[in-house]
Every structure is written in C-alpha cells, then in structure tokens.
Amino acid sequence: MTIDMSQFYQVFFDEADELLAEMEKLLLALDVTAPDSEDLNAIFRAAHSIKGGAATFAFTDITEVTHMLESLLDRIRKGEMALTPEHVDAFLAAKDVLTMQMDGHHHGSGVDQQAVESVCQRLKALSQGIADAPVAAAPPAPVASAPEPAAAPVADADGNVRFRIELPEVPQRDVDALAAELGLLGTISQEVLADKRVVFTLTTGESQDNIVAICSFVLDPDDLKITHGSAPAAAAKPAADEPGYGIFEPEKTNAVPQAPAAAAESRPAQPDAAAPVAEAKNYGRRATDKEGGSQESSSIRVGIEKVDQLINLVGELVITQAMIDQRIGALDPIHHERLLNSASQLARNTRDLQEAVMSIRMMPMDYVFSRFPRMVRDLAAKLDKKVEFVTRGAATELDKGLIERIVDPLTHLVRNSVDHGIEMPEKRRASGKSETGKLTLSAAHQGGNIVIEVSDDGGGLSRDRILAKAKQQGLPVSDTMPDSDVWQLIFAPGFSTAEVVTDVSGRGVGMDVVKRNITAMGGTVDIRSVPGTGTTIAISLPLTLAILDGMSVRVGEEVYILPLGYVIESLQPAAADVKEIAGQGQVVKIREEYLPLIPLYQIFAIEPNFTDPSQGIVVILEADGKKAALLVDSLVGQQQVVVKNLESNF
C-alpha cells in the first residue's frame, strides 16, 4: 500500500512557519558579543528540524539550504568560530529564502533562484572563511559503541589531499552537476564501477567538510562515501546530524558497531507502508534542552472554518435563548417557578458556552508584534538610523478576524514612525537626545476594547507644516483649530508633508487607508504629538465582532440595543440639570460637566411616553473620546447581540 504523503503537508508547513518565526525572533535578540548557548542551540534545532521535515517530504531545495545553515550554526554553537554580525545577517537572509521556498511548495508562488544561490554562496563563503583557520578540536565525548576516529588526511607538498568520492545510483544529470561543482575545487577524474555507480577522484586543498557541503547541493550527504588517500573516513553523517534534534525520532537499530567505511556504506532500510503515518503523528513535537516530552497533549490544531462554524452555532443558540426569555417573560413567576429557574440556568450555561467558544478565536497580539522587530531592524539599517524596538502587552488577546486585519495598518504606522518620526542620529545628538531612537508597540485592554499604541520619541508632528499643506490642498482648516483636529488631517487622502518621496513612504498613500480600515472594524484612531518629544498613535478596537453585549432600552413601543462597550452609566436627571441652548438643543449637567442631550424619539420619529428628561432615563455614552447623553423612556435590561451579515442571511 502506498501512502499519500501530501495529506501531511499542512502539518509540515504549519510547524515550519512556527520554527522560522522562532528562529528569526532568537536571531534578532542575540547578543553578538556574548551569545547565549541556549539560544544558539534553539536556532540550530529549528534549522535541523526543518531540514528533517523537508527531507521526509522530498523538498530537496529546502534541505540544501537548511543543511548549509545548520552546518555553519553547528560550528558556532560548538565554539569553533565566533559569532559575528555578518553571520546574523546571513542567517536572517537564509530565513527569508526558506520562507520563500515554503511558499513556493505550499502556495505555488514563484521562487527567486538567484536569491537562493546568493544565500547559499554567502553561507558557503562564511564557512570557508573559518575552514582554514586552525581550531583546537574538542575531545570527543566517550561513547561505548563509537567507532575509532578516522586517520587525518595526509597532504602533499602543495597542501592538496586526494579524496575518493563514491556516489549512490543517481541520474546522470546529478552526476554531471556534481562533477561541475567539484571541478571548481581542484582536479577531478571520474570512473564507473561494475554496478554502474560513479566514483570521483578529487585532488584539492579544501577540507572534507567543504566537500560534503558542496555535495549536499546535489545529493544527500548520507548517501556518500568519502575516503582520502589510503585511510578511509566516513562522511556519511555530518556532525550536525545529531540524534534527538529532528522533528522525527531518530531511527533505532540493533546493528553492531561497524568500521567507519562500512558504516558509511550501509543504507537505512526502507520503512514499511505504515511508517509515514507514524512519523506524521509525531510531527508536532519539538523537544528542548530544558524540558522533555511531548507538548501534543496541551494543544490541538483545528481548522479555522470549524471554529467559525462552532461560533455560528453558538450565535444561533444565543438567539434561541433570547427568544425563550421573551416568551417566558409574561409568565407568572409563582405558577411557573421551576420553568423560570430552568430558563435561568439555561441562560447562564449559554453565556458560559459563548465565552468559552469566543476565547478559542482569541489570539495573542504577539502574533502581530513578532513580525515587526525584523522589519524595524532592516528599515533602520536602510535609512542609516538607530532604532530600539520595544513591545508591551504582547500577551493581550484579540479576535482572530480582527488580528489579521490589523496587520497592514500597523505595518504602515510602524514604517512611518521609523521613516518620518525618528530623526537621524546626528540630528538627535544636536537636540540633546540619544543617537538611538525608541519605537514602542503596546496593547492593553480598556473596558470592552483593546487599545494598540505606536509610540516614538522622534521629532513629533509639525502643526505649521500640516496646516500649510492642508491649505495648499484646499482642505477646510483654520489657524485656531485644536491640535487634536490638526493631527487628524494627516489621514486625508493624498496628504503628505514629506519633502522627499522615498520607496518607504512620502507619497501620501496609506494613512487614509489605515483610518478607513480601522473604522471598518468598528475602531477609532487618536493621535497625540509633542514637537521635539515624539508621537503616539492609538488604535481602539472592539475585542470581537461576532457576539456583543448590549443594553436594551425602550422608546415608546420600540426597543433598541446600545453596545455595552459605549455605555458609561444611566441615570434620571433633575429638572434643574437640564438647560436649553438657543438654536442648538438641550444639554444636561452630569457632575459639573455639560453633555449634549439627544432625544432618541426625535431621531427615529417615535411617539415617546415621556418628553420631559426628568421623567425619562438618560444613558451616558462615550465614543471617539466624546460623550453624549441619550434620552430614552426606560431600560429593559442587558442583551447579547449576534452580528450577522444581512445579505447572506436574508
């Protein structure tokens, strides 16, 4: 029976995405002068795990890049070479290439082969840069069944060593490709054995590790047998391939210890048909040095469509429960006590179920925040600026539907802060600031909303330049406008005060889209800026758009629902607290603050029970930082609201 491995692709891609994200996070946090060994080990394990998974699914292009990456990482983590900023840059570039290759296999998108070759050459150059440096070999750890170490290769007077490279049975195109690669290292000859296998004889000054690395471009190094001179040396298993680091458990064998050449020659037995299934079940496991065992029991992968279906069913249950409450509201509580108690219990259980299901869709903001450190690092380097990036509240949760839609607006705001907000180092020095600017991305809950802030300690917004540009574009402005209104002008379509248009920003395209997208999510944008000190852009969003809590109010014979997140309080005002402003309507005094009074019956042309505010109820609402008092007849109670698309449910 043949197993279709494509059914397990999604598991590999999900796991690889997590590993690449973790790798990038660790690389950006590395202290180059004194890297933490645990972080280096974690980065190596990520590369090695991706390589193991890619090899299982025959993604050879990914295997080639990860093999070179892990080989270089292995030397660094073992202390055979010092970590440098060039290494970190190369590793980040390799991460980008791996992401591109993953997308190519997953979504069929194009892969820039020139970028792949460039990264491979970069990793190869870094490896060769230290290959010739004398490095004191660490004493091997005692292993009971370890074979005797191979004899060191003997070089001739010119420093060259003759290597014999036996290939497995491979297509002729692979033989030709490998011959071309090895021919760049030295003098090469070729012979064909009786069993049709090809053997190369290479005379070169390169090390055996470099030969293995070159061969890995075309073949799996596990399939090679390399000997030098008359003393055989097994190169079938690079040092990086240590057991226990892969996604899958290493194959266990009861074979007795073999001589090095024989061990290299042996090939692992082909697994039976059930083996891929067993491996796929273990794919989610990722061991660490600090904790062992599987993490599978603590989480499970579920398709988002199943979660959406579950939320939709819970929404229908909430609607049904609300209908029951309306029906039994007119029943006598004495004669129907048991029924009313059961309905009350149903309401509590429905509420708990709704909260539990909604929490499944909630994701931490770290899902968004984690993509910005790399972007800020690269953008700051491109602009010759120094920027310290700080995140706060990454564990704050937001609905998945909103968290995916907030990525683009935040990306634009962060890029603007680095490009326009934070000054060049020399300008910061001249104004008495540190050369390194600070960019902060934070998230926190406030009532029923989440507030996300992008703050920088740059030069701040220029009121005069914004007003001058607004007048030039014919916008309705005045010199007496408050700062808060002036700052909002930057969201006008096509508005930009940039003196130079760059490939980063300055065309006036983006900020209007940012506000439009956030408004479409039911959110608001507020700007606070102090010239010379910095700018903060605050985005306020509802936690979820699926099921909301509301306050039911009655006006005449009609019942309306107010989103509970906007409600501050409700009260019955005294007649003396209601004042009439000629030609502008009424205001009501609430604790030394006058708020506009909005009679709901006038807006919807309803016949109310009360027109005198002192006889009705005033509900104090706050939206966009502004307050108002809404006049209604009475409060009905709290009600859950299910938001559905009218068109698809009509």
Side-chain angles (χ1 to χ4, degrees):
M1 182 179 71
T2 303
I3 299 296
D4 180 13
M5 294 297 288
S6 64
Q7 61 182 306
F8 306 118
Y9 283 177
Q10 188 60 48
V11 182
F12 166 70
F13 291 127
D14 289 344
E15 180 75 8
D17 286 344
E18 293 176 5
L19 289 169
L20 288 172
E22 181 67 15
M23 179 192 296
E24 181 177 84
K25 181 179 179 181
L26 292 170
L27 285 170
L28 292 173
L30 271 181
D31 182 356
V32 178
T33 57
D36 183 81
S37 60
E38 288 296 316
D39 290 343
L40 289 176
N41 286 333
I43 296 169
F44 171 81
R45 284 195 299 271
H48 190 77
S49 296
I50 294 172
K51 175 188 170 183
T56 300
F57 295 104
F59 297 149
T60 55
D61 54 340
I62 297 176
T63 306
E64 292 167 3
V65 177
T66 49
H67 177 71
M68 297 195 69
L69 177 61
E70 68 168 359
S71 297
L72 186 53
L73 280 165
D74 191 43
R75 294 185 180 184
I76 294 174
R77 75 187 185 111
K78 288 180 176 178
E80 296 177 2
M81 71 169 69
L83 180 69
T84 65
E86 289 76 15
H87 286 127
V88 176
D89 291 340
F91 295 152
L92 289 172
K95 180 264 175 187
D96 292 341
V97 163
L98 289 171
T99 300
M100 177 175 59
Q101 291 175 320
M102 294 286 181
D103 290 341
H105 287 291
H106 193 190
H107 305 295
S109 55
V111 177
D112 185 352
Q113 294 299 331
Q114 186 175 356
V116 176
E117 293 174 6
S118 174
V119 163
C120 290
Q121 291 298 327
R122 192 173 179 182
L123 294 172
K124 176 184 173 183
L126 288 171
S127 297
Q128 289 178 337
I130 57 85
D132 298 330
V135 178
V143 180
S145 60
E148 292 295 324
V154 179
D156 59 18
D158 296 327
N160 293 324
V161 176
R162 179 176 297 175
F163 291 94
R164 177 183 169 88
I165 306 167
E166 295 185 19
L167 307 184
E169 294 184 22
V170 295
Q172 185 61 39
R173 65 176 182 274
D174 290 342
V175 174
D176 296 340
L178 189 54
E181 292 286 347
L182 294 175
L184 300 175
L185 302 182
T187 304
I188 186 172
S189 62
Q190 176 180 326
E191 63 176 306
V192 181
L193 301 180
D195 58 3
K196 306 299 184 181
R197 289 187 298 118
V198 174
V199 176
F200 290 128
T201 301
L202 174 66
T203 303
T204 179
E206 296 289 341
S207 68
Q208 182 170 312
D209 286 342
N210 282 350
I211 296 175
V212 173
I214 290 296
C215 291
S216 68
F217 277 107
V218 180
L219 302 173
D220 188 336
D222 292 357
D223 295 333
L224 296 174
K225 176 186 175 184
I226 300 180
T227 57
H228 50 77
S230 60
K237 202 78 170 174
D241 290 339
E242 299 175 2
Y245 284 116
I247 296 176
F248 304 107
E249 294 296 328
E251 183 179 358
K252 295 179 174 60
T253 176
N254 296 323
V256 295
Q258 304 176 22
E265 212 169 85
S266 63
R267 299 285 300 277
Q270 292 297 322
D272 56 34
V277 178
E279 288 182 338
K281 289 181 179 178
N282 291 332
Y283 192 78
R285 293 201 315 217
R286 191 165 71 233
T288 66
D289 290 342
K290 297 181 180 179
E291 58 182 10
S294 171
Q295 296 290 329
E296 281 184 294
S297 59
S298 62
S299 64
I300 184 173
R301 294 186 188 275
V302 178
I304 190 63
E305 67 279 355
K306 293 183 179 180
V307 177
D308 289 340
Q309 182 183 14
L310 183 59
I311 291 177
N312 185 61
L313 292 173
V314 169
E316 294 296 332
L317 181 60
V318 169
I319 294 173
T320 304
Q321 187 267 324
M323 293 168 60
I324 293 174
D325 279 351
Q326 291 178 356
R327 299 295 186 273
I328 65 176
L331 298 179
D332 188 325
I334 296 178
H335 291 88
H336 300 89
E337 180 181 3
R338 297 177 64 181
L339 175 60
L340 294 175
N341 287 340
S342 298
S344 178
Q345 182 66 34
L346 174 63
R348 286 194 297 271
N349 291 340
T350 302
R351 175 78 178 193
D352 292 343
L353 177 63
Q354 176 254 319
E355 291 179 353
V357 171
M358 292 305 300
S359 68
I360 297 176
R361 272 188 65 96
M362 304 299 280
M363 297 178 63
M365 285 300 298
D366 188 53
Y367 176 84
V368 177
F369 287 2
S370 61
R371 67 191 64 201
F372 290 118
R374 173 72 184 282
M375 188 187 80
V376 171
R377 177 184 186 271
D378 294 346
L379 188 57
K382 184 175 184 178
L383 299 173
D384 292 326
K385 295 183 178 181
K386 297 180 180 179
V387 181
E388 176 190 2
F389 184 65
V390 180
T391 60
R392 297 193 180 99
T396 306
E397 292 187 331
L398 182 64
D399 184 89
K400 182 181 186 297
L402 293 174
I403 215 167
E404 291 175 343
R405 293 164 62 184
I406 196 64
V407 171
D408 287 343
L410 282 182
T411 299
H412 193 87
L413 294 179
V414 168
R415 288 170 66 87
N416 260 19
S417 291
V418 177
D419 191 19
H420 297 308
I422 296 176
E423 315 95 323
M424 298 295 291
E426 55 272 14
K427 186 174 182 180
R428 292 180 64 88
R429 279 198 310 269
S431 59
K433 295 182 179 180
S434 167
E435 285 188 353
T436 303
K438 188 173 183 180
L439 176 59
T440 304
L441 194 55
S442 64
H445 285 151
Q446 289 187 9
N449 294 341
I450 183 173
V451 177
I452 306 167
E453 292 189 345
V454 181
S455 305
D456 65 68
D457 65 348
L461 297 176
S462 171
R463 177 186 172 93
D464 294 338
R465 287 177 61 188
I466 292 175
L467 285 174
K469 187 69 174 181
K471 292 176 182 178
Q472 179 183 337
Q473 294 188 353
L475 297 177
V477 296
S478 68
D479 293 336
T480 59
M481 290 175 63
D483 285 346
S484 58
D485 292 341
V486 174
W487 307 148
Q488 289 292 324
L489 291 173
I490 68 173
F491 293 115
F495 191 92
S496 176
T497 59
E499 297 175 356
V500 179
V501 175
T502 68
D503 58 350
V504 177
S505 58
R507 298 184 184 275
V509 178
M511 292 300 281
D512 59 323
V513 179
V514 167
K515 185 167 185 179
R516 186 164 64 247
N517 290 346
I518 292 173
T519 302
M521 290 185 277
T524 59
V525 188
D526 181 52
I527 301 178
R528 304 186 300 274
S529 184
V530 178
T533 302
T535 302
T536 296
I537 299 180
I539 300 172
S540 179
L541 293 171
L543 292 178
T544 180
L545 296 179
I547 301 179
L548 306 176
D549 286 322
M551 174 181 285
S552 301
V553 297
R554 185 182 300 277
V555 180
E557 299 300 321
E558 302 291 340
V559 176
Y560 297 92
I561 297 180
L562 306 174
L564 203 57
Y566 295 100
V567 177
I568 299 177
E569 61 179 324
S570 59
L571 50 89
Q572 189 170 40
D577 292 332
V578 179
K579 306 293 183 183
E580 185 81 27
I581 298 180
Q584 297 189 34
Q586 295 178 313
V587 295
V588 58
K589 184 179 180 182
I590 307 293
R591 287 187 289 276
E592 306 304 319
E593 182 181 10
Y594 283 96
L595 303 178
L597 184 63
I598 304 174
L600 195 58
Y601 69 88
Q602 290 183 359
I603 295 177
F604 293 108
I606 300 171
E607 186 65 31
N609 294 329
F610 309 103
T611 57
D612 184 355
S614 62
Q615 295 180 341
I617 298 292
V618 168
V619 181
I620 310 302
L621 306 174
E622 182 175 16
D624 296 345
K626 300 177 182 179
K627 294 181 180 180
L630 191 66
L631 176 61
V632 299
D633 288 348
S634 61
L635 304 180
V636 178
Q638 186 171 330
Q639 179 72 57
Q640 283 188 305
V641 182
V642 179
V643 180
K644 286 183 175 291
N645 185 299
L646 181 61
E647 182 178 350
S648 60
N649 291 278
F650 191 78

PDB file of all heavy atoms in Angstrom, residues 335-347:
ATOM      1  N   HIS A 335     -46.511  30.409  39.547  1.00  0.00           N
ATOM      2  CA  HIS A 335     -47.033  29.192  38.946  1.00  0.00           C
ATOM      3  C   HIS A 335     -46.014  28.492  38.050  1.00  0.00           C
ATOM      4  O   HIS A 335     -46.132  27.293  37.776  1.00  0.00           O
ATOM      5  CB  HIS A 335     -48.301  29.505  38.133  1.00  0.00           C
ATOM      6  CG  HIS A 335     -49.475  29.887  38.980  1.00  0.00           C
ATOM      7  ND1 HIS A 335     -49.707  31.189  39.360  1.00  0.00           N
ATOM      8  CD2 HIS A 335     -50.476  29.134  39.535  1.00  0.00           C
ATOM      9  CE1 HIS A 335     -50.804  31.255  40.107  1.00  0.00           C
ATOM     10  NE2 HIS A 335     -51.291  30.007  40.225  1.00  0.00           N
ATOM     11  N   HIS A 336     -45.023  29.235  37.548  1.00  0.00           N
ATOM     12  CA  HIS A 336     -44.046  28.650  36.632  1.00  0.00           C
ATOM     13  C   HIS A 336     -42.625  28.797  37.185  1.00  0.00           C
ATOM     14  O   HIS A 336     -41.673  29.025  36.446  1.00  0.00           O
ATOM     15  CB  HIS A 336     -44.138  29.323  35.249  1.00  0.00           C
ATOM     16  CG  HIS A 336     -45.472  29.187  34.604  1.00  0.00           C
ATOM     17  ND1 HIS A 336     -46.482  30.110  34.806  1.00  0.00           N
ATOM     18  CD2 HIS A 336     -45.982  28.240  33.771  1.00  0.00           C
ATOM     19  CE1 HIS A 336     -47.552  29.750  34.118  1.00  0.00           C
ATOM     20  NE2 HIS A 336     -47.271  28.605  33.473  1.00  0.00           N
ATOM     21  N   GLU A 337     -42.494  28.650  38.483  1.00  0.00           N
ATOM     22  CA  GLU A 337     -41.197  28.855  39.132  1.00  0.00           C
ATOM     23  C   GLU A 337     -40.125  27.902  38.591  1.00  0.00           C
ATOM     24  O   GLU A 337     -39.006  28.310  38.285  1.00  0.00           O
ATOM     25  CB  GLU A 337     -41.343  28.670  40.637  1.00  0.00           C
ATOM     26  CG  GLU A 337     -40.019  28.863  41.398  1.00  0.00           C
ATOM     27  CD  GLU A 337     -40.183  28.651  42.889  1.00  0.00           C
ATOM     28  OE1 GLU A 337     -41.303  28.299  43.323  1.00  0.00           O
ATOM     29  OE2 GLU A 337     -39.189  28.828  43.610  1.00  0.00           O
ATOM     30  N   ARG A 338     -40.472  26.622  38.457  1.00  0.00           N
ATOM     31  CA  ARG A 338     -39.489  25.640  38.011  1.00  0.00           C
ATOM     32  C   ARG A 338     -39.067  25.898  36.564  1.00  0.00           C
ATOM     33  O   ARG A 338     -37.893  25.769  36.208  1.00  0.00           O
ATOM     34  CB  ARG A 338     -40.056  24.224  38.162  1.00  0.00           C
ATOM     35  CG  ARG A 338     -40.342  23.859  39.624  1.00  0.00           C
ATOM     36  CD  ARG A 338     -40.965  22.483  39.748  1.00  0.00           C
ATOM     37  NE  ARG A 338     -40.053  21.436  39.285  1.00  0.00           N
ATOM     38  CZ  ARG A 338     -40.375  20.145  39.283  1.00  0.00           C
ATOM     39  NH1 ARG A 338     -41.590  19.758  39.682  1.00  0.00           N
ATOM     40  NH2 ARG A 338     -39.503  19.246  38.872  1.00  0.00           N
ATOM     41  N   LEU A 339     -40.005  26.285  35.709  1.00  0.00           N
ATOM     42  CA  LEU A 339     -39.670  26.589  34.322  1.00  0.00           C
ATOM     43  C   LEU A 339     -38.752  27.806  34.245  1.00  0.00           C
ATOM     44  O   LEU A 339     -37.766  27.817  33.500  1.00  0.00           O
ATOM     45  CB  LEU A 339     -40.944  26.832  33.516  1.00  0.00           C
ATOM     46  CG  LEU A 339     -40.747  27.282  32.053  1.00  0.00           C
ATOM     47  CD1 LEU A 339     -39.971  26.232  31.277  1.00  0.00           C
ATOM     48  CD2 LEU A 339     -42.089  27.578  31.397  1.00  0.00           C
ATOM     49  N   LEU A 340     -39.067  28.818  35.035  1.00  0.00           N
ATOM     50  CA  LEU A 340     -38.252  30.032  35.017  1.00  0.00           C
ATOM     51  C   LEU A 340     -36.854  29.759  35.565  1.00  0.00           C
ATOM     52  O   LEU A 340     -35.859  30.314  35.065  1.00  0.00           O
ATOM     53  CB  LEU A 340     -38.929  31.131  35.827  1.00  0.00           C
ATOM     54  CG  LEU A 340     -40.263  31.654  35.246  1.00  0.00           C
ATOM     55  CD1 LEU A 340     -40.901  32.664  36.191  1.00  0.00           C
ATOM     56  CD2 LEU A 340     -40.031  32.288  33.884  1.00  0.00           C
ATOM     57  N   ASN A 341     -36.744  28.909  36.574  1.00  0.00           N
ATOM     58  CA  ASN A 341     -35.425  28.549  37.111  1.00  0.00           C
ATOM     59  C   ASN A 341     -34.597  27.798  36.067  1.00  0.00           C
ATOM     60  O   ASN A 341     -33.388  28.016  35.926  1.00  0.00           O
ATOM     61  CB  ASN A 341     -35.577  27.700  38.371  1.00  0.00           C
ATOM     62  CG  ASN A 341     -36.049  28.515  39.563  1.00  0.00           C
ATOM     63  OD1 ASN A 341     -35.922  29.744  39.571  1.00  0.00           O
ATOM     64  ND2 ASN A 341     -36.599  27.854  40.565  1.00  0.00           N
ATOM     65  N   SER A 342     -35.273  26.900  35.339  1.00  0.00           N
ATOM     66  CA  SER A 342     -34.575  26.154  34.290  1.00  0.00           C
ATOM     67  C   SER A 342     -34.109  27.093  33.179  1.00  0.00           C
ATOM     68  O   SER A 342     -32.999  26.954  32.649  1.00  0.00           O
ATOM     69  CB  SER A 342     -35.490  25.073  33.702  1.00  0.00           C
ATOM     70  OG  SER A 342     -35.864  24.137  34.697  1.00  0.00           O
ATOM     71  N   ALA A 343     -34.966  28.047  32.804  1.00  0.00           N
ATOM     72  CA  ALA A 343     -34.586  29.014  31.774  1.00  0.00           C
ATOM     73  C   ALA A 343     -33.412  29.877  32.236  1.00  0.00           C
ATOM     74  O   ALA A 343     -32.523  30.218  31.446  1.00  0.00           O
ATOM     75  CB  ALA A 343     -35.779  29.886  31.405  1.00  0.00           C
ATOM     76  N   SER A 344     -33.398  30.210  33.539  1.00  0.00           N
ATOM     77  CA  SER A 344     -32.299  30.999  34.082  1.00  0.00           C
ATOM     78  C   SER A 344     -30.987  30.208  34.038  1.00  0.00           C
ATOM     79  O   SER A 344     -29.926  30.751  33.713  1.00  0.00           O
ATOM     80  CB  SER A 344     -32.621  31.415  35.519  1.00  0.00           C
ATOM     81  OG  SER A 344     -31.547  32.137  36.093  1.00  0.00           O
ATOM     82  N   GLN A 345     -31.085  28.913  34.370  1.00  0.00           N
ATOM     83  CA  GLN A 345     -29.899  28.060  34.300  1.00  0.00           C
ATOM     84  C   GLN A 345     -29.408  27.925  32.855  1.00  0.00           C
ATOM     85  O   GLN A 345     -28.200  27.940  32.575  1.00  0.00           O
ATOM     86  CB  GLN A 345     -30.219  26.673  34.875  1.00  0.00           C
ATOM     87  CG  GLN A 345     -29.040  25.717  34.897  1.00  0.00           C
ATOM     88  CD  GLN A 345     -27.954  26.175  35.853  1.00  0.00           C
ATOM     89  OE1 GLN A 345     -28.239  26.759  36.892  1.00  0.00           O
ATOM     90  NE2 GLN A 345     -26.697  25.922  35.482  1.00  0.00           N
ATOM     91  N   LEU A 346     -30.360  27.805  31.919  1.00  0.00           N
ATOM     92  CA  LEU A 346     -30.000  27.731  30.504  1.00  0.00           C
ATOM     93  C   LEU A 346     -29.282  29.003  30.062  1.00  0.00           C
ATOM     94  O   LEU A 346     -28.307  28.948  29.308  1.00  0.00           O
ATOM     95  CB  LEU A 346     -31.257  27.513  29.658  1.00  0.00           C
ATOM     96  CG  LEU A 346     -31.058  27.558  28.135  1.00  0.00           C
ATOM     97  CD1 LEU A 346     -30.138  26.432  27.682  1.00  0.00           C
ATOM     98  CD2 LEU A 346     -32.408  27.476  27.417  1.00  0.00           C
ATOM     99  N   ALA A 347     -29.758  30.143  30.533  1.00  0.00           N
ATOM    100  CA  ALA A 347     -29.131  31.414  30.167  1.00  0.00           C
ATOM    101  C   ALA A 347     -27.697  31.483  30.675  1.00  0.00           C
ATOM    102  O   ALA A 347     -26.791  31.929  29.962  1.00  0.00           O
ATOM    103  CB  ALA A 347     -29.948  32.578  30.719  1.00  0.00           C
TER     104      ALA A 347
END
